mmCIF file of all heavy atoms in Angstrom:
data_model
loop_
_atom_site.group_PDB
_atom_site.id
_atom_site.type_symbol
_atom_site.label_atom_id
_atom_site.label_comp_id
_atom_site.label_asym_id
_atom_site.label_seq_id
_atom_site.Cartn_x
_atom_site.Cartn_y
_atom_site.Cartn_z
ATOM 1 N N ILE A 40 124.281 120.983 73.966
ATOM 2 C CA ILE A 40 122.815 120.904 74.009
ATOM 3 C C ILE A 40 122.232 121.808 75.094
ATOM 4 O O ILE A 40 121.159 122.394 74.903
ATOM 5 C CB ILE A 40 122.335 119.437 74.140
ATOM 6 C CG1 ILE A 40 120.899 119.333 73.612
ATOM 7 C CG2 ILE A 40 122.461 118.915 75.581
ATOM 8 C CD1 ILE A 40 120.494 117.961 73.186
ATOM 9 N N PHE A 41 122.950 121.993 76.225
ATOM 10 C CA PHE A 41 122.405 122.858 77.273
ATOM 11 C C PHE A 41 122.385 124.321 76.826
ATOM 12 O O PHE A 41 121.409 125.030 77.058
ATOM 13 C CB PHE A 41 123.206 122.704 78.575
ATOM 14 C CG PHE A 41 122.907 121.443 79.359
ATOM 15 C CD1 PHE A 41 123.624 121.149 80.521
ATOM 16 C CD2 PHE A 41 121.919 120.555 78.967
ATOM 17 C CE1 PHE A 41 123.350 119.991 81.262
ATOM 18 C CE2 PHE A 41 121.648 119.394 79.687
ATOM 19 C CZ PHE A 41 122.377 119.112 80.840
ATOM 20 N N GLU A 62 130.321 129.577 71.129
ATOM 21 C CA GLU A 62 130.856 128.216 71.029
ATOM 22 C C GLU A 62 132.218 128.290 70.335
ATOM 23 O O GLU A 62 132.331 128.857 69.262
ATOM 24 C CB GLU A 62 129.883 127.338 70.237
ATOM 25 C CG GLU A 62 130.437 126.005 69.801
ATOM 26 C CD GLU A 62 131.032 125.162 70.934
ATOM 27 O OE1 GLU A 62 130.358 124.970 71.952
ATOM 28 O OE2 GLU A 62 132.201 124.706 70.787
ATOM 29 N N ASN A 68 129.721 119.891 69.279
ATOM 30 C CA ASN A 68 130.858 119.057 68.868
ATOM 31 C C ASN A 68 131.362 118.136 69.989
ATOM 32 O O ASN A 68 132.010 117.133 69.703
ATOM 33 C CB ASN A 68 132.014 119.942 68.402
ATOM 34 C CG ASN A 68 132.735 120.606 69.582
ATOM 35 O OD1 ASN A 68 133.744 120.116 70.063
ATOM 36 N ND2 ASN A 68 132.179 121.697 70.089
ATOM 37 N N ALA A 70 130.403 116.683 74.063
ATOM 38 C CA ALA A 70 129.630 115.536 74.580
ATOM 39 C C ALA A 70 128.388 115.277 73.737
ATOM 40 O O ALA A 70 128.024 114.126 73.469
ATOM 41 C CB ALA A 70 129.231 115.797 76.032
ATOM 42 N N THR A 71 127.733 116.356 73.326
ATOM 43 C CA THR A 71 126.390 116.208 72.751
ATOM 44 C C THR A 71 126.360 115.267 71.551
ATOM 45 O O THR A 71 125.531 114.349 71.494
ATOM 46 C CB THR A 71 125.836 117.600 72.394
ATOM 47 O OG1 THR A 71 125.707 118.329 73.610
ATOM 48 C CG2 THR A 71 124.490 117.504 71.696
ATOM 49 N N ALA A 75 124.743 108.419 73.341
ATOM 50 C CA ALA A 75 123.887 107.312 72.893
ATOM 51 C C ALA A 75 122.449 107.794 72.763
ATOM 52 O O ALA A 75 121.630 107.180 72.089
ATOM 53 C CB ALA A 75 123.972 106.155 73.872
ATOM 54 N N ALA A 76 122.172 108.895 73.461
ATOM 55 C CA ALA A 76 120.919 109.646 73.302
ATOM 56 C C ALA A 76 119.655 108.893 73.680
ATOM 57 O O ALA A 76 118.608 109.049 73.056
ATOM 58 C CB ALA A 76 120.827 110.227 71.895
ATOM 59 N N LEU A 77 119.741 108.049 74.728
ATOM 60 C CA LEU A 77 118.523 107.496 75.312
ATOM 61 C C LEU A 77 117.802 108.673 75.962
ATOM 62 O O LEU A 77 118.415 109.401 76.746
ATOM 63 C CB LEU A 77 118.847 106.443 76.379
ATOM 64 C CG LEU A 77 119.831 105.337 76.018
ATOM 65 C CD1 LEU A 77 119.889 104.295 77.139
ATOM 66 C CD2 LEU A 77 119.488 104.680 74.695
ATOM 67 N N VAL A 201 135.658 131.739 74.714
ATOM 68 C CA VAL A 201 135.562 132.586 75.904
ATOM 69 C C VAL A 201 136.804 132.340 76.743
ATOM 70 O O VAL A 201 137.146 131.189 77.040
ATOM 71 C CB VAL A 201 134.295 132.256 76.725
ATOM 72 C CG1 VAL A 201 134.261 133.074 78.011
ATOM 73 C CG2 VAL A 201 133.048 132.496 75.893
ATOM 74 N N CYS A 373 125.907 117.174 83.985
ATOM 75 C CA CYS A 373 124.778 116.488 83.323
ATOM 76 C C CYS A 373 124.624 115.028 83.711
ATOM 77 O O CYS A 373 123.644 114.392 83.336
ATOM 78 C CB CYS A 373 124.963 116.576 81.817
ATOM 79 S SG CYS A 373 126.431 115.650 81.272
ATOM 80 N N GLY A 375 125.583 112.314 82.524
ATOM 81 C CA GLY A 375 125.284 111.375 81.443
ATOM 82 C C GLY A 375 123.821 111.338 81.041
ATOM 83 O O GLY A 375 123.370 110.390 80.398
ATOM 84 N N ALA A 376 123.071 112.389 81.392
ATOM 85 C CA ALA A 376 121.641 112.406 81.081
ATOM 86 C C ALA A 376 121.232 113.688 80.363
ATOM 87 O O ALA A 376 120.050 114.007 80.276
ATOM 88 C CB ALA A 376 120.832 112.260 82.368
ATOM 89 N N GLY A 377 122.202 114.395 79.837
ATOM 90 C CA GLY A 377 121.936 115.743 79.323
ATOM 91 C C GLY A 377 121.040 115.799 78.103
ATOM 92 O O GLY A 377 120.349 116.803 77.886
ATOM 93 N N ILE A 378 121.041 114.747 77.297
ATOM 94 C CA ILE A 378 120.159 114.764 76.121
ATOM 95 C C ILE A 378 118.714 114.637 76.619
ATOM 96 O O ILE A 378 117.833 115.414 76.245
ATOM 97 C CB ILE A 378 120.506 113.611 75.147
ATOM 98 C CG1 ILE A 378 121.997 113.641 74.787
ATOM 99 C CG2 ILE A 378 119.607 113.643 73.929
ATOM 100 C CD1 ILE A 378 122.528 114.898 74.164
ATOM 101 N N ALA A 379 118.520 113.659 77.508
ATOM 102 C CA ALA A 379 117.173 113.415 78.035
ATOM 103 C C ALA A 379 116.599 114.644 78.731
ATOM 104 O O ALA A 379 115.446 115.014 78.507
ATOM 105 C CB ALA A 379 117.213 112.233 79.003
HETATM 106 C C1 FAD B 276 129.507 108.368 75.210
HETATM 107 C C2 FAD B 276 128.366 109.173 75.780
HETATM 108 C C3 FAD B 276 127.089 108.639 75.849
HETATM 109 C C4 FAD B 276 126.028 109.402 76.351
HETATM 110 N N1 FAD B 276 124.761 108.889 76.345
HETATM 111 C C5 FAD B 276 123.727 109.651 76.779
HETATM 112 C C6 FAD B 276 122.403 109.149 76.728
HETATM 113 O O1 FAD B 276 122.153 108.013 76.305
HETATM 114 N N2 FAD B 276 121.383 109.953 77.149
HETATM 115 C C7 FAD B 276 121.623 111.215 77.613
HETATM 116 O O2 FAD B 276 120.672 111.890 77.986
HETATM 117 N N3 FAD B 276 122.873 111.708 77.679
HETATM 118 C C8 FAD B 276 123.924 110.957 77.272
HETATM 119 N N4 FAD B 276 125.190 111.438 77.343
HETATM 120 C C9 FAD B 276 125.412 112.723 78.020
HETATM 121 C C10 FAD B 276 125.182 113.900 77.097
HETATM 122 O O3 FAD B 276 125.937 113.770 75.922
HETATM 123 C C11 FAD B 276 125.573 115.145 77.856
HETATM 124 O O4 FAD B 276 124.862 115.163 79.078
HETATM 125 C C12 FAD B 276 125.233 116.432 77.121
HETATM 126 O O5 FAD B 276 125.680 116.390 75.805
HETATM 127 C C13 FAD B 276 125.852 117.604 77.877
HETATM 128 O O6 FAD B 276 125.660 118.770 77.116
HETATM 129 P P1 FAD B 276 126.441 120.081 77.476
HETATM 130 O O7 FAD B 276 125.879 121.153 76.626
HETATM 131 O O8 FAD B 276 126.481 120.257 78.944
HETATM 132 O O9 FAD B 276 127.979 119.750 77.082
HETATM 133 P P2 FAD B 276 128.742 119.715 75.678
HETATM 134 O O10 FAD B 276 127.923 119.096 74.612
HETATM 135 O O11 FAD B 276 130.071 119.125 75.946
HETATM 136 O O12 FAD B 276 128.883 121.242 75.326
HETATM 137 C C14 FAD B 276 129.775 122.128 75.982
HETATM 138 C C15 FAD B 276 130.272 123.089 74.934
HETATM 139 O O13 FAD B 276 131.036 124.126 75.551
HETATM 140 C C16 FAD B 276 132.033 124.515 74.624
HETATM 141 N N5 FAD B 276 133.057 125.260 75.317
HETATM 142 C C17 FAD B 276 133.856 124.824 76.333
HETATM 143 N N6 FAD B 276 134.715 125.773 76.694
HETATM 144 C C18 FAD B 276 134.461 126.854 75.908
HETATM 145 C C19 FAD B 276 135.047 128.150 75.793
HETATM 146 N N7 FAD B 276 136.107 128.496 76.542
HETATM 147 N N8 FAD B 276 134.545 129.018 74.891
HETATM 148 C C20 FAD B 276 133.490 128.656 74.104
HETATM 149 N N9 FAD B 276 132.924 127.423 74.144
HETATM 150 C C21 FAD B 276 133.400 126.546 75.041
HETATM 151 C C22 FAD B 276 132.512 123.181 74.058
HETATM 152 O O14 FAD B 276 133.197 123.315 72.835
HETATM 153 C C23 FAD B 276 131.211 122.408 73.922
HETATM 154 O O15 FAD B 276 130.642 122.496 72.646
HETATM 155 C C24 FAD B 276 126.265 110.706 76.845
HETATM 156 C C25 FAD B 276 127.552 111.238 76.800
HETATM 157 C C26 FAD B 276 128.598 110.495 76.266
HETATM 158 C C27 FAD B 276 129.964 111.110 76.211
#
Side-chain angles (χ1 to χ4, degrees):
I40 203 158
F41 283 176
E62 167 54 51
N68 75 96
T71 296
L77 310 187
V201 176
C373 66
I378 307 302

